[in-house]
Amino acid sequence: MDTLFYAHRGSSQKFAENTRAAYLQAIDEGADGIECDVHLSSDGVVICHHDPTVDRTSDTTGEVAGFTLDELKKMDFSSYMPVAVPEEYGSISDQLLSLVELLELIDERGTNIGLAIEIKHPSPYGHLLEEETLKVLAGFNFDPQTGLAGRRSQIQVTLMSFEPDSIRFLAQTVNRALLCQLMTEIDPRRVADFLSEGETIRAGVYEVMRRSVAEGRELINAGGAGIIGPGVAWVRANEHLVRQWLEQGLTARIWTVDRPADAQYLIDMGVTQITSNRPAALRQELDQE
């Protein structure tokens, strides 16, 4: 059984996550796929970035949705990791990418590769985020039935979210086999704690993740998504259910898997897609065992 290794936010153990360098490293190392996260900027551009704010990964603070693309481009999204970016991977100002730029980068490389796009919610723009993402993909010949995109149809696109409403919205136009319902277990007290501390943005994110399990299971069981996307800890705690879904013919894409023992456990179970911060090294370690 062949296992596909997806680079989590690019090869993010080597370079800053969701940057040009991390994506190019993933391609050059031979990753089977790249995982990226998307938000909308204030001028309506689909941006590759994980958090709803730029605080953790840049030299600035504020919500992604509050900045234009040009303003985001002026920020430093690399220096939080103490590693030099090779000249061929671009300068500091080149590191933040729009989804258009990421697709152009992949298309220029010409490599057959998967692209797993995570739609980040809650978004102040609601389903406009999905609409704009689909518009970008349409500009790269995206086929919503097969998921193929790019000049040579060499990019295999799938769409993911923790938010079941996002998956339902996408299913109106995209083949459900291409949709991944992400899942993780969140203690509801964490949501309450964030709210009590005034951290409404984090509370909103955690509330979506909290709902991902109960509502996500219902959506999956109703045939609303062809790919299940729980974290590896959730898989271990719910192995019977995951095996049941695999027996039903669903694809499993499990995150974030960096330890060989976890990867081997998943492969032995029949999982065919693994998302890792270190996909090339993980594959090599498994091959040596």
Side-chain angles (χ1 to χ4, degrees), residues 212-230:
S212 70
V213 174
E215 293 186 32
R217 285 173 63 168
E218 183 179 330
L219 183 145
I220 291 166
N221 289 332
I227 307 172
I228 61 170

Side-chain angles (χ1 to χ4, degrees), residues 187-201:
D187 188 333
R189 289 175 296 184
R190 298 191 70 181
V191 179
D193 288 344
F194 285 135
L195 285 172
S196 67
E197 295 165 4
E199 295 193 44
T200 56
I201 295 175

Side-chain angles (χ1 to χ4, degrees), residues 60 185 225 268:
T60 311
E185 205 75 57
D268 291 345

Side-chain angles (χ1 to χ4, degrees), residues 9-12 14-29 34 77-78 81 83-92 94-97 102 105 109:
R9 309 175 198 173
S11 287
S12 53
K14 290 195 173 182
F15 296 109
E17 64 183 55
N18 280 315
T19 59
R20 178 186 295 271
Y23 296 138
L24 285 173
Q25 181 70 28
I27 295 171
D28 292 346
E29 286 181 341
I34 292 172
F77 285 93
S78 292
M81 284 189 70
V83 58
V85 175
E87 184 177 342
E88 63 268 25
Y89 285 176
S91 66
I92 294 297
D94 295 324
Q95 295 309 308
L96 178 91
L97 298 182
L102 174 57
L105 181 153
R109 276 296 203 268

Side-chain angles (χ1 to χ4, degrees), residues 20 69 73 96-106:
R20 178 186 295 271
L69 174 61
K73 289 284 192 179
L96 178 91
L97 298 182
S98 67
L99 182 58
V100 166
E101 291 171 320
L102 174 57
L103 283 159
E104 287 174 344
L105 181 153
I106 296 172

Side-chain angles (χ1 to χ4, degrees), residues 170-185:
L170 291 165
Q172 296 175 45
T173 53
V174 178
N175 186 344
R176 295 178 182 184
L178 305 176
L179 302 179
C180 177
Q181 174 63 55
L182 298 170
M183 306 169 70
T184 192
E185 205 75 57

